[in-house]
Amino acid sequence: MLRIQVFLIVLLGCFFTAESSGAADWSETPAQKAERLQWWTEARFGMFIHWGLYAQAARHEWVKNREQMSNEDYQIYFDLFNPDLYNPKEWARAAKNAGMKYFVVTSKHHEGFCLWDSKYTDYKATNTPYGKDLLKPMVEAFRAEGLKVGFYYSLIDWHHPEFTIDRVHPMRNNEQERNRNADRDMSKYAEYVYNQVEELLTTMGQIDLMWLDYSYPGPDGKGRDDWQSEKLIKMVRQKMPNVIVNDRLDLLDTTYGWDFRTPEQFMPKEWVTMNGERVPWETCQTFSGSWGYHRDEESWKTPRQLVAMLIEVVSKGGNLLLNVGPTARGTFDDRAMARLTAMGEWMNYHDRAIYGCTQAPEEFQAPQNCFLTFNPELNRLYIHVMEWPFRALHLPGYAGTVKYAQLLNDASEIKFVDRVGHWLNEEKKEDTITLQLPVKQPDVVVPVIELFLK
Ligand code: GLC
């Protein structure tokens, strides 16, 4: 009897180690991880694209949910979808000209509609009046412009028949639909997710980033057991070992289940940490309040706000993924284009203060009304002057550290007074450098001063 028990325990032990090892055979040193993430950390700036049937409703990508629409209600958007002006080469050029180095597109959003010709569903672009794959040409166009390729894939699916009705489902208040949950099988849905993600990773060449969205565990919610996240991430890591993965699989307590944090629609106070350690992070932001094309949304950020946002993110060691919601004709609308163009104009002269940059070392404090970014390779510090002062910009604590200073937009010298220990009276130890700025602010949205450090 005892022997059988021991045998059973050993057997169970094997089973659990095999199971829980999940993607645990995925092991990586911090240096290896940094190397895998290197292109992304240096890039700092990417384009998010939210595009799907919701572009036609033009009132937020959650329209199906917000208005509690059934599949039948929503079907009209599928039946009419025909983005006749779609030219992904123009999109790719717009992203590149804005200074973006990678893009992440909604291959499928919560509505369940697939932009590519997936063999696992009929609910896809090829079956709409448009009739063609929308994703592949996009991937090719962006790659041709030298941008890295990322796929957003929604874990949530408000169209799939096996996806159970939960608290965030459009049919959450529909008694009849709720009662049908008994006939739905989430494991079949998890298999669908697995197959589609595998398909995305195996039929479109090198995929650099995977953005899986999102988990909401707890009562009437969904999380790692519903998506079978362990199994999914293991496959992702196997198929595409260099891919970078976001953090919404509900696997934050593992090392292999996520690569970077994703604070959304707000600016973190400081470099994002986990258990007290700084971690890679990327904030995704919209031009206005909506991810999908929203005709009547008026809260569009100004170009200056957007440039400032990029600067602030990099000054805290993060990345900015800035969203465009193309129209149902297949275009970036004028408001989006104007902002991309303005960012590109700034980046044209200032990208050196963004690419490969990060938070400045502790000993350099940001002067008043400024942000700092730092390029460790070049050993240069960038002062982004948000409010142009009158002639003097004081840099307390910088004495003895600066070799040369110039405006970045035109490489014109900025003279400075370096006061180490001799200021007014000798007792008052002064360690401030004072930059002598021109009275007139250079004609750029945010001027940057480049300091060559000793
Ligand atoms: C949220 C929303 C979604 C959007 C995403 C972008 O999770 O559900 O609409 O795609 O954020 O981060």
Side-chain angles (χ1 to χ4, degrees), residues 48 50 60-62 106 109-110 152 156 211 213-214 248 264 284 291:
F48 218 171
H50 275 68
H60 204 275
E61 78 285 354
W62 275 56
T106 53
H109 201 259
H110 308 337
Y152 171 108
I156 300 170
W211 226 100
D213 195 39
Y214 67 82
R248 298 190 180 176
E264 167 180 336
C284 46
W291 300 94

Side-chain angles (χ1 to χ4, degrees), residues 278-314:
R278 285 176 175 180
V279 291
W281 66 279
E282 170 193 79
T283 181
C284 46
Q285 304 282 353
T286 51
F287 283 145
S288 69
S290 174
W291 300 94
Y293 177 66
H294 197 312
R295 185 190 55 208
D296 303 330
E297 173 63 58
E298 289 298 336
S299 62
W300 285 69
K301 296 166 189 79
T302 63
R304 190 185 140 83
Q305 256 179 316
L306 294 161
V307 168
M309 185 187 267
L310 175 61
I311 294 167
E312 185 169 355
V313 166
V314 178

Side-chain angles (χ1 to χ4, degrees), residues 134-169:
L134 291 164
L135 195 59
K136 233 182 195 156
M138 202 187 306
V139 167
E140 281 158 11
F142 278 79
R143 249 191 223 131
E145 289 290 356
L147 278 84
K148 298 270 188 187
V149 178
F151 288 144
Y152 171 108
Y153 179 87
S154 175
L155 297 166
I156 300 170
D157 195 315
W158 298 326
H159 180 267
H160 198 281
E162 303 293 349
F163 190 94
T164 53
I165 313 296
D166 58 30
R167 63 179 149 89
V168 294
H169 197 282

Side-chain angles (χ1 to χ4, degrees), residues 158-211:
W158 298 326
H159 180 267
H160 198 281
E162 303 293 349
F163 190 94
T164 53
I165 313 296
D166 58 30
R167 63 179 149 89
V168 294
H169 197 282
M171 292 293 97
R172 61 194 170 278
N173 296 320
N174 184 314
E175 199 65 19
Q176 246 184 345
E177 283 290 341
R178 280 242 179 221
N179 290 338
R180 286 198 201 122
N181 268 353
D183 307 324
R184 298 190 169 104
D185 183 350
M186 271 302 285
S187 71
K188 284 195 186 140
Y189 174 69
E191 195 183 321
Y192 175 73
V193 168
Y194 184 99
N195 287 336
Q196 285 208 314
V197 172
E198 184 180 44
E199 190 178 42
L200 286 170
L201 291 175
T202 50
T203 60
M204 311 244 182
Q206 169 68 34
I207 303 308
D208 306 293
L209 199 145
M210 205 67 214
W211 226 100

Side-chain angles (χ1 to χ4, degrees), residues 191-349:
E191 195 183 321
Y192 175 73
V193 168
Y194 184 99
N195 287 336
Q196 285 208 314
V197 172
E198 184 180 44
E199 190 178 42
L200 286 170
L201 291 175
T202 50
T203 60
M204 311 244 182
Q206 169 68 34
I207 303 308
D208 306 293
L209 199 145
M210 205 67 214
W211 226 100
L212 301 156
D213 195 39
Y214 67 82
S215 301
Y216 44 108
D220 207 18
K222 286 185 174 62
R224 65 168 85 189
D225 296 336
D226 301 284
W227 326 126
Q228 300 184 13
S229 296
E230 291 272 355
K231 193 174 157 204
L232 186 63
I233 191 71
K234 187 172 185 182
M235 179 271 289
V236 170
R237 301 285 190 205
Q238 266 167 4
K239 297 281 172 205
M240 202 58 79
N242 286 329
V243 79
I244 301 176
V245 185
N246 74 329
D247 62 344
R248 298 190 180 176
L249 269 172
D250 190 20
L251 292 175
L252 275 178
D253 55 341
T254 70
T255 50
Y256 49 84
W258 62 281
D259 290 323
F260 63 92
R261 301 303 321 266
T262 57
E264 167 180 336
Q265 292 282 29
F266 77 97
M267 178 64 68
K269 189 167 111 263
E270 57 197 8
W271 193 316
V272 178
T273 58
M274 286 278 282
N275 310 316
E277 298 272 325
R278 285 176 175 180
V279 291
W281 66 279
E282 170 193 79
T283 181
C284 46
Q285 304 282 353
T286 51
F287 283 145
S288 69
S290 174
W291 300 94
Y293 177 66
H294 197 312
R295 185 190 55 208
D296 303 330
E297 173 63 58
E298 289 298 336
S299 62
W300 285 69
K301 296 166 189 79
T302 63
R304 190 185 140 83
Q305 256 179 316
L306 294 161
V307 168
M309 185 187 267
L310 175 61
I311 294 167
E312 185 169 355
V313 166
V314 178
S315 81
K316 295 171 179 177
N319 279 25
L320 176 64
L321 189 63
L322 195 54
N323 182 73
V324 179
T327 69
R329 294 294 299 274
T331 56
F332 288 1
D333 83 336
D334 292 347
R335 297 167 294 184
M337 276 313 293
R339 281 155 182 84
L340 290 171
T341 307
M343 293 193 85
E345 275 165 16
W346 185 83
M347 283 293 277
N348 199 24
Y349 293 101

